[in-house]
Amino acid sequence: MDRIEVKADALEDSFEAIEARDDGIAALNAELALLKKKIADGSIAAKRPALDGVKSGEVSAFVAQYLRKGIESGVELKALGSSTDAIGGYAVPREIDQAIGETLVAISPIRAIANVVKVGTANYRKLVATGGTPSGWVGFEAARPETGTPTFTEIVPASGDLYANPAASQQMLDDAMFDVEKWLAQEIATEFARAEGVAFIKGTGSSQPLGFLSSPSATTLDGMRAMGTLQFIGTGTAAAFPASNPQDKLIDLVQSLRQPYRQGAVFVMNSTTASVIRKFKTTDGAFIWSPGLVAGAPSSLLGYPVIEAEDMPDIAANSLSIAFGNFKQGYTIAERAATSILRDPYTHKPYVHFYATKRIGGQVTNSESIKLLKFA
């Protein structure tokens, strides 16, 4: 009898569990029906999960309120001014600043090959050891004589405030279909890239970067030149390549760069100079220029990529029209991490100007890793 009673109790419990489950499902169905009814009659709004690519609240508020309407209240703005917000403007959100940076890399040739350092202060400083650390060989139990001490030199790349001042009409800003964020990032990046292209190559170093062509240059070999002085190779002919075997001068230029720096080295020249070199052939009739076979891939010269920078000078008497080197090692670009922007609807009514600034510096930091070809 005990066994029968146990089985009956277990069976009864199972029936009760099923009934409880059915009651729960019925309750859920009732709640779901009530929720659908409220959505249908507009009592509550249906909530859907955010799709990929939805902008963050910070960017949406920055674009919809500050850029379009100039409303500062309720928007998370980072003031850059020393005393008032209007002095330095506001730091743009990270997403917009990233879009500006990506465009700069795509259209600014030197930025794409140089060493770019993000800094949080006005100036970037780098210590460089000159002379190396002397060393020597000794026996296992011999005395270790003291070695010399290297000399450290501080390098502070010349810098200045780079600015862009694109304008849009208030009618454009009021148009909901006008993508203010994309337009602003593209306009700022285009203006920045145009100014950078000149400064990184031949900037004077006065309130702007010091271009590598504006750096001192000499024929002196590595280890014998003053720090910051680049070595140039002469063509032996004013304003031209030699009439016989002109490609030999390009080989001399490549071999003047020490082997460790040749890994990652590139040629830099403008399209006019490139058109001259593309016609050079070896003695067996083969072109020394190899065009890129894939869209976007750079052409190569003597096995090294060619970067076309239109701000490089044309071939002329005493011109430094071709550079070859490892710019990651040789040229440093230091820039503030944030781009600041100031909305100005008053200067040029009915247009609204967006005054964007960024502190950027640049200078040769390793004069052994970049060589120049001089047409002299």
Side-chain angles (χ1 to χ4, degrees):
M1 290 297 294
D2 293 339
R3 292 183 181 178
I4 294 175
E5 289 178 0
V6 171
K7 289 183 178 180
D9 292 341
L11 186 60
E12 185 177 353
D13 291 341
S14 65
F15 285 142
E16 290 177 355
I18 294 174
E19 290 176 358
R21 185 195 64 183
D22 293 340
D23 291 341
I25 293 176
L28 290 175
N29 288 334
E31 291 180 6
L32 181 60
L34 180 61
L35 182 61
K36 289 181 178 179
K37 182 177 181 301
K38 290 182 178 181
I39 293 175
D41 61 18
S43 300
I44 61 173
K47 293 184 178 180
R48 298 178 180 177
L51 300 176
D52 291 340
V54 174
K55 297 176 183 177
S56 67
E58 179 187 358
V59 179
S60 299
F62 183 84
V63 173
Q65 296 187 49
Y66 182 68
L67 294 185
R68 289 187 184 274
K69 302 177 182 179
I71 300 175
E72 300 178 6
S73 60
V75 184
E76 184 180 352
L77 299 173
K78 301 177 178 64
L80 297 181
S82 57
S83 57
T84 62
D85 296 344
I87 291 180
Y90 299 101
V92 300
R94 186 182 297 107
E95 291 85 347
I96 299 179
D97 209 18
Q98 182 178 357
I100 295 173
E102 291 175 352
T103 307
L104 281 174
V105 172
I107 63 181
S108 182
I110 304 303
R111 174 181 285 271
I113 60 176
N115 177 33
V116 180
V117 180
K118 301 283 186 179
V119 296
T121 57
N123 292 318
Y124 168 75
R125 300 172 183 272
K126 180 179 181 180
L127 286 177
V128 178
T130 57
T133 302
S135 59
W137 294 95
V138 295
F140 287 110
E141 298 181 359
R144 270 60 174 172
E146 183 179 353
T147 59
T149 302
T151 302
F152 289 93
T153 302
E154 184 181 55
I155 296 178
V156 183
S159 63
D161 283 335
L162 178 61
Y163 73 92
N165 196 23
S169 67
Q170 187 61 53
Q171 184 178 5
M172 293 172 60
L173 298 176
D174 292 338
D175 186 356
M177 299 300 294
F178 177 56
D179 192 342
V180 182
E181 177 186 346
K182 181 178 179 181
W183 168 82
L184 185 63
Q186 185 66 40
E187 287 292 316
I188 293 175
T190 301
E191 293 298 323
F192 280 6
R194 185 180 296 114
E196 282 185 0
V198 180
F200 294 153
I201 293 176
K202 46 190 176 184
T204 62
S206 176
S207 300
Q208 60 181 279
L210 179 64
F212 60 87
L213 290 188
S214 299
S215 301
S217 60
T219 58
T220 318
L221 300 177
D222 291 347
M224 303 175 64
R225 301 187 308 277
M227 188 174 182
T229 301
L230 301 178
Q231 180 186 7
F232 69 83
I233 307 297
T235 61
T237 304
F241 280 97
S244 177
N245 298 322
Q247 68 275 5
D248 289 353
K249 290 300 178 182
L250 295 174
I251 296 175
D252 293 340
L253 180 64
V254 170
Q255 295 304 128
S256 68
L257 189 68
R258 289 195 290 140
Q259 193 277 334
Y261 298 127
R262 290 202 295 269
Q263 300 182 27
V266 297
F267 282 97
V268 179
M269 65 189 75
N270 66 20
S271 57
T272 303
T273 305
S275 67
V276 175
I277 297 177
R278 290 192 68 167
K279 302 168 187 175
F280 289 174
K281 298 180 181 179
T282 60
T283 54
D284 57 359
F287 287 99
I288 65 173
W289 182 286
S290 300
L293 300 179
V294 181
S299 301
S300 61
L301 176 62
L302 300 176
Y304 296 95
V306 178
I307 304 299
E308 292 191 19
E310 293 309 313
D311 296 295
M312 290 289 289
D314 293 336
I315 295 176
N318 297 317
S319 66
L320 299 168
S321 301
I322 300 176
F324 175 75
N326 189 322
F327 285 80
K328 288 286 185 185
Q329 298 285 337
Y331 195 85
T332 298
I333 299 172
E335 64 180 7
R336 287 285 298 269
T339 301
S340 64
I341 190 167
L342 182 65
R343 190 180 191 274
D344 177 16
Y346 307 109
T347 302
H348 190 197
K349 295 185 290 288
Y351 297 97
V352 178
H353 284 265
F354 295 95
Y355 178 69
T357 59
K358 192 167 192 175
R359 178 164 288 273
I360 299 179
Q363 186 171 321
V364 171
T365 51
N366 184 345
S367 55
E368 293 186 354
S369 63
I370 299 176
K371 304 294 181 178
L372 305 173
L373 186 65
K374 188 172 186 178
F375 290 81

